């Protein structure tokens, strides 16, 4: 079995993805292949900014002059002018819109019209989950801010609970990590679908279920089992740079 890893520039647009597909197809004719891909170039930076926007939008004053917006690829309509802390800022909504447009544009160039709908549905599913994560992060940050404000109001000499702060920080860190890892899910969804379209028996593997960051023996076992359970698969496609913790 051969493993091929492609970085963000290699999958940055439909033209470069086509080159990747040619390389993978040639390798798959000789042996089974595991394809690991990064997000499209620049996408992870966008997702970092998106998480930052969700943190900033926990301050209602930052949304006071905002307009209502909606995010393509998402089940959520967001109004950044709302007093509800669990809303997205205009900046966050615009970033999700840009992510949707970029991946949809690549898919439109790679797939025929009869296959395009199912691929965009899969992309939209990831984007809906991304929007939900952003709403969770915005709400979590707002809750932390509210708790801090309440503590200060009760007594300027009483600091927020250290344990509570640590737990809240862990929650927001986990949400940020999930947001920032979405680009790999989007790029590999397109690549796996196109390889299937080209008649290669292909399986998309969710690295979050297989790669356990703090337990490499378990990771190796999960990967081995995933491959062994699919003897007819010729090409496995997995997102790079995403994993889970054992807990």
């Amino acid at each position: 079995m051969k493993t091929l890893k492609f970085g963000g520039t290699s999958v940055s647009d439909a033209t470069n993805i086509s080159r990747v597909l040619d390389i993978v197809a040639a390798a798959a004719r000789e042996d089974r292949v595991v394809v690991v891909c990064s997000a499209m170039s620049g996408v992870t930076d966008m997702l970092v900014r998106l998480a930052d926007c969700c943190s900033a939008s926990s301050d209602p004053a930052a949304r006071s002059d905002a307009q209502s917006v909606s995010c393509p690829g998402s089940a959520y309509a967001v109004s950044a002018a709302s007093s509800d802390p669990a809303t997205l800022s205009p900046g966050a909504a615009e970033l999700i819109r840009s992510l949707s447009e970029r991946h949809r544009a690549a898919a439109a160039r790679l797939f025929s019209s009869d296959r395009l709908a199912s691929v965009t549905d899969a992309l939209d599913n990831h984007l809906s989950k991304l929007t939900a994560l952003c709403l969770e992060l915005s709400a979590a940050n707002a809750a932390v801010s509210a708790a801090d404000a309440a503590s200060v109001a009760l007594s300027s000499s009483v600091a927020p609970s250290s344990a509570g702060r640590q737990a809240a920080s862990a929650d927001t860190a986990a949400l940020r990590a999930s947001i920032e890892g979405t680009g790999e899910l989007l790029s590999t969804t397109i690549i796996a679908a196109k390889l299937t379209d080209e008649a290669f028996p292909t399986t998309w593997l969710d690295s979050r279920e297989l790669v356990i960051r703090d337990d490499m023996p378990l990771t190796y076992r999960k990967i081995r089992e995933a491959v062994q359970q699919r003897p007819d698969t010729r090409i496995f496609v997995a997102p790079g740079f995403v994993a889970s913790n054992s807990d």
Side-chain angles (χ1 to χ4, degrees), residues 83-169:
S83 60
D84 180 358
T87 56
L88 298 184
S89 69
E94 182 57 34
L95 283 165
I96 293 177
R97 182 179 295 110
S98 296
L99 289 165
S100 175
E101 290 173 353
R102 182 170 177 186
H103 290 85
R104 281 169 167 264
R109 288 190 56 193
L110 289 166
F111 294 92
S112 60
S113 57
D114 59 329
R115 282 281 291 132
L116 182 59
S118 63
V119 176
T120 54
D121 282 349
L123 294 173
D124 287 351
N125 182 53
H126 287 307
L127 290 164
S128 287
K129 292 177 180 178
L130 174 63
T131 305
L133 288 168
C134 290
L135 291 170
E136 287 186 59
L137 180 57
S138 181
N141 280 308
V144 170
S145 297
D148 288 349
S151 177
V152 171
L154 287 172
S155 172
S156 60
S157 63
V158 178
S161 165
S162 176
R165 287 289 294 171
Q166 289 177 356
S169 295

Side-chain angles (χ1 to χ4, degrees), residues 3-247:
T3 300
L4 301 176
K5 169 67 175 69
F6 298 97
T9 301
S10 297
V11 297
S12 61
D13 55 29
T15 299
N16 287 345
I17 289 174
S18 293
R19 296 191 184 104
V20 165
L21 296 169
D22 290 340
I23 294 169
V24 173
R29 293 186 185 99
E30 299 177 359
D31 199 355
R32 300 177 84 191
V33 179
V34 176
V35 180
V36 180
C37 294
S38 299
M40 289 181 173
S41 60
V43 164
T44 300
D45 289 341
M46 293 174 68
L47 291 165
V48 170
R49 295 202 305 273
L50 176 59
D52 289 342
C53 283
C54 294
S55 298
S57 67
S58 63
D59 177 8
R63 303 191 301 269
S64 61
D65 59 352
Q67 301 297 315
S68 296
V69 291
S70 61
C71 296
S74 170
Y76 298 92
V78 295
S79 173
S82 169
S83 60
D84 180 358
T87 56
L88 298 184
S89 69
E94 182 57 34
L95 283 165
I96 293 177
R97 182 179 295 110
S98 296
L99 289 165
S100 175
E101 290 173 353
R102 182 170 177 186
H103 290 85
R104 281 169 167 264
R109 288 190 56 193
L110 289 166
F111 294 92
S112 60
S113 57
D114 59 329
R115 282 281 291 132
L116 182 59
S118 63
V119 176
T120 54
D121 282 349
L123 294 173
D124 287 351
N125 182 53
H126 287 307
L127 290 164
S128 287
K129 292 177 180 178
L130 174 63
T131 305
L133 288 168
C134 290
L135 291 170
E136 287 186 59
L137 180 57
S138 181
N141 280 308
V144 170
S145 297
D148 288 349
S151 177
V152 171
L154 287 172
S155 172
S156 60
S157 63
V158 178
S161 165
S162 176
R165 287 289 294 171
Q166 289 177 356
S169 295
D171 289 343
T172 56
L175 288 166
R176 284 192 68 104
S178 295
I179 289 169
E180 293 168 10
T182 300
E184 284 79 8
L185 308 182
L186 293 166
S187 64
T188 53
T189 292
I190 294 173
I191 290 166
K194 186 59 179 176
L195 288 165
T196 299
D197 209 36
E198 297 294 329
F200 286 99
T202 302
T203 297
W204 184 84
L205 296 175
D206 191 340
S207 300
R208 297 167 298 181
E209 297 177 358
L210 300 178
V211 182
I212 310 303
R213 187 181 61 83
D214 49 351
D215 193 337
M216 293 313 297
L218 178 59
T219 294
Y220 294 139
R221 179 169 63 81
K222 283 177 170 287
I223 293 173
R224 184 169 58 251
E225 290 175 353
V227 171
Q228 291 174 345
Q229 290 168 3
R230 299 168 176 85
D232 296 330
T233 294
R234 193 67 176 173
I235 303 173
F236 297 91
V237 179
F241 302 109
V242 293
S244 297
N245 293 325
S246 57
D247 56 358

